[in-house]
Amino acid sequence: MRKFILILLFALTLFSCGTDTDTGEFTVGSDYLALSNKVILIDTVTVEMSTINFDSLVTSNKSRILVGNYDDPIFGKVKSDSYFQLSGASYALNSTSSDTEAVNYVFDSISMILKYDKYYYGDTTQVQTFDIHRLLQKVKPNTDDSNFYNNSSLSYSAESLGKISFIPRPKQKDSINIKMDKEFGEALFQKIKKREITDFDSFTEYLKGLVLVPETSNSSNIIGFSAGTSKVRLYYSKYMADEDEVSYVLDFTIADKTKQFNSISLNKTGTLLQNLPISSSNLSSNLTNNQGYIQSGTGVACRIEFPNIKQFKNISANGAIVNAELFLKPVNNSYSEKYPLADSLSVYVGDNLNRISGTLVNSAGTTVYGLLNKKSDEFNENVGYTIPVGAFLQKEMIKAADSRSSLILTLPGISKSVDRLILGNQKHANNKIQLKIYYISY
């Protein structure tokens, strides 16, 4: 017992008491657990928070058409265009026993049918407008790999093939129908009727792809549509057909999901993030109102560091971190029905250049997440994300190398959504980050 008291006194003299000091010092918490078991609670360890920006995110093969734009009061102007290649199950008109009957078919109309996938962000009570444009180049990556990224783009015609202005109803309705240009549809129909288009290659040579581009004058929301069930539908019928005769259709779908991607941009001009550096660096939360930022789609993420964790080795010759919890609080008034809190955070381990080595795991090797506690009180003290970091900090404490790892926080669906989150650092007036470490001496 006398030995442990000496250890505890040593720890108390080693660490200072300032939670918010800039020196990186910390103190043993006033509470402690089971002195007889030689376990102490340390609750004022320095935690550094900053914001980083990944240079690119893979947005192809995510099965979501993401289109729209909105002005975020904190992050800036967010915009998403969606590019895709189409293909058909058939490139022939309805066949009959006669080889000449196809001549009797006539074009009726052409439409794009976009099926909601229930995702949305922003104010869906406001009108959203976007146009359909024809691509001038094939949907083929410019990079050495087969992926498209949030900063990828392809050239397209300025002419609109269809426009829609609508109030999104992603939870109440199944789809939206956009009437497309009649001349475009007639020309495509004639190519198929004359057998100038007979297969995928001849089809994509004629129609390389399409892109959905939102108008920036209406900045209100971003909507998700299903890449698997959305389509372009061409309607045709027999010439001089009876009124009760059913029209025929040809459907063109996004069969190859790797040839669909979303180009997601963020204009940060005039915001606290306008000086966000390149992907290998970071912007301290001390320079951004004591806040860290996360936004899916645009690559904005939050970095957490524990600069003095190696000092724990000085508490005892034989000791270990047996448990630790990091509690991150969303900044008050930064979330609402328009900007809801995600149910969880994805947590990765990175180096000083923000290169990710893997996901955060517990002592059993299982991936762990930051889980949201939604139970609010009068001052929202209990609203926040809890991340178990004991195994990570123990590994950092005993690491022989001088380099240290950081935690990089993102939101789920980082490559196919635009959700965002603002977190308070240790100096934040109302929403301070908290870390509790349970250390055992043996």
Side-chain angles (χ1 to χ4, degrees), residues 361-366 391:
V361 298
N362 59 20
S363 57
T366 304

Side-chain angles (χ1 to χ4, degrees), residues 288-336:
T288 55
N289 283 356
N290 295 320
Q291 297 171 169
Y293 301 82
I294 304 173
Q295 186 177 53
S296 294
T298 63
V300 178
C302 185
R303 188 168 94 178
I304 303 295
E305 297 174 85
F306 310 91
N308 301 308
I309 198 65
K310 288 184 182 296
Q311 292 185 25
F312 273 63
K313 290 189 293 186
N314 299 326
I315 296 177
S316 172
N318 296 297
I321 296 171
V322 292
N323 192 22
E325 284 189 347
L326 187 66
F327 188 63
L328 300 115
K329 297 183 179 182
V331 171
N332 293 342
N333 302 316
S334 69
Y335 53 94
S336 63

